[in-house]
Amino acid sequence: MLSILGFAMIITFLVLIMTKRLSPFVGLTVIPIIFGIIGGFGKDLGPLMMEGIQNVAPTAFLLLFAILYFGIMLDAGLFDPLTAKIIGWTKGDPLKVIVATAVLAGIIGFDGDGSTTMMIVVTAFLPLYKRLGISPIIMASVIIMQIGITTLVPWGGPVGRAASVLHLEPTALYLNMLPGMIISLLFVVGAAYMIGLKERARLRKENTQQISMDVIQDASIESAVIENISLEDTQIKRPKLIWFNGLLSAVIMVAIILEWLPPATLFIIGTALALVINYPVLDHQRERIAAHAPNALAVVCMVLAAGVFSGIFKGTPISESMALSLVDIIPTDLGPYMALITAIVSAPALFFIGPDGFYFGVLPVLAETAANYGIDTISIGTASLFGTPFGIMGPLVASVYLLINISGISLGDLHKTAGKWSLGILLIYIICGIFMGTISL
C-alpha cells in the first residue's frame, strides 16, 4: 500500500506540474504533506520537513550567492569586452560567426543562468546572422547545446536539484561531470565548425552578399555591442575594474575545483568583495542586490521546497517501499546496470516531464532502487545529469521559450537541429562515465 501511495504521490505531482495547475514550489510543498497525512505520518511531518530543509540548506546558500555574484559581474560588464572581441574576430565569415557563437555561449554559460547566456549571445550575434543570411536556427541550436553543458556547474539548476534531492555536495557531482563537460564543449565547437563549413559553402553558392573585412572592424563591432545600452546600464558598468573582476572570478573557479573552501563560502566572500570594490556607495550596493534578488529568491524557494518533498519522501517508509517494488519489477540481471539505465532514461524523462518532475519525482526512486544493488548515490546522481542537453530544450523549460522568441524560430525546428547533435553529447557523457567508474558494465 505504501508503494502505491508513493507512486500516486509522484504521478499526482508530475501531472499537476506538467499541466501547469500548480507551480513547482507549491507542488513540492503541498503534495507530499497531503500524501504524508493520508499515509498516517501526520505527527512526524514537521520534524521530517525540517530535516529535509536542513539537508538542502548548503545548496540553497550556494545558489543564492552564486546568482548574486554573477549578476554583479554581468552588471559590472565583465563579459562585454570578450563579447565585442569575439564578434570582431568573425570578420563576416559564416564559419567564424557560428564557431564564435559556440565559444561565447560556452564561456558566458558558466554563470549557470541559461536565460542570461541567451540574452547576451543572441543580442550580440542575431544581427550578423540576419545580415549574412545564416539561419537563426543554427545560432539557437548552438546556444542551447552549450547551455545544456554549462548549466551543470554547481550553482546551476540541474546539479542543485539532484544534490538537494540525494543530499549530495553539488561540487562532487560537478567534478564527476567535468571531464565529460570539457569534451562536450569541444564537441559542440567542432559541430559548429562542421555546420559553419556547410553554411559557408551554401552562402557562396547562393552568392549571398557577405560583410567585407574592411567594413567590420573591432571598433565598429564594439560600438554595435554597446549602442543599445541604456544610460542606467552605462552607469553601473565598471570597465576599469574588469581585471579585478576577472581575477576574482578565476580565483573562485579554481578554489571550487581544488576544494579550498566550501563553494557557498567562496561565493559569499566573492559577492561581498564584488560589491565593495565595484559599488562602494551603500545605495548602489542595495540596488544591485535588489536587482538580482527576485531570481535568487525564486531558486532558493525551489530548493527549500525540494527539501520538504525529499524530507517526507525519504523520511517515511514510502521511498523504501517503492524501491523494493521496482526491484521486483527490474530483472535481476539488469540491477547492476542501474547507473546506465538512469543515464539513458534521463534524456527522454527530462525532455518530456521536465527537470522538476524528473529530479524531484523519479530520481529518488531510481537512487533507492540502485542502493539495493550496491550502487552508490553519487553514481546515480551523476548519471541522472547525462540527459541535461535534452532537458534544457524540453517543452516544460521556460527559458527555451525565451530563446525561440528572441531568435524568431519555432520550437520544433530547434529540436530537430539541436537534438541530433545532443545525442553525441549524451554518448560522450556515458563513455566518460564508464572510464571514470560511474557506470559499470
Side-chain angles (χ1 to χ4, degrees), residues 83 87 101 104 115-129 139 143 221 224-229 402-403 406-407:
T83 302
I87 298 178
T101 304
L104 184 61
S115 299
T116 301
T117 304
M118 293 171 187
M119 292 298 298
I120 293 175
V121 181
V122 172
T123 300
F125 278 97
L126 186 58
L128 273 178
Y129 273 75
M139 175 190 65
I143 292 172
I221 290 295
V225 171
I226 65 173
E227 78 177 345
N228 292 325
I229 296 179
L402 169 65
L403 179 61
I406 60 179
S407 301

Side-chain angles (χ1 to χ4, degrees), residues 22-167:
L22 286 181
S23 67
F25 172 76
V26 175
L28 288 168
T29 306
V30 174
I31 292 175
I33 292 175
I34 293 175
F35 278 87
I37 294 174
I38 294 173
F41 305 106
K43 295 181 180 180
D44 302 322
L45 292 184
L48 291 177
M49 286 189 286
M50 285 305 302
E51 182 180 354
I53 291 173
Q54 290 171 2
N55 287 331
V56 302
T59 300
F61 281 115
L62 167 63
L63 296 176
L64 169 63
F65 287 99
I67 291 171
L68 290 177
Y69 177 81
F70 282 110
I72 294 168
M73 290 295 103
L74 288 169
D75 289 341
L78 174 62
F79 303 107
D80 290 352
L82 175 65
T83 302
K85 293 299 181 184
I86 288 179
I87 298 178
W89 169 76
T90 64
K91 303 297 183 183
D93 182 354
L95 170 61
K96 291 183 178 180
V97 169
I98 296 172
V99 171
T101 304
V103 172
L104 184 61
I107 295 173
I108 302 295
F110 273 93
D111 72 343
D113 184 354
S115 299
T116 301
T117 304
M118 293 171 187
M119 292 298 298
I120 293 175
V121 181
V122 172
T123 300
F125 278 97
L126 186 58
L128 273 178
Y129 273 75
K130 289 183 175 179
R131 186 172 179 182
L132 291 170
I134 308 172
S135 172
I137 295 172
I138 295 174
M139 175 190 65
S141 299
V142 170
I143 292 172
I144 201 70
M145 285 191 289
Q146 293 292 59
I147 292 174
I149 300 167
T150 56
T151 193
L152 294 174
V153 291
W155 47 91
V159 172
R161 289 180 176 95
S164 62
V165 167
L166 301 179
H167 307 314

Side-chain angles (χ1 to χ4, degrees), residues 211-222:
I211 305 173
S212 60
M213 293 179 60
D214 59 341
V215 173
I216 294 186
Q217 300 296 334
D218 287 359
S220 64
I221 290 295
E222 291 175 5

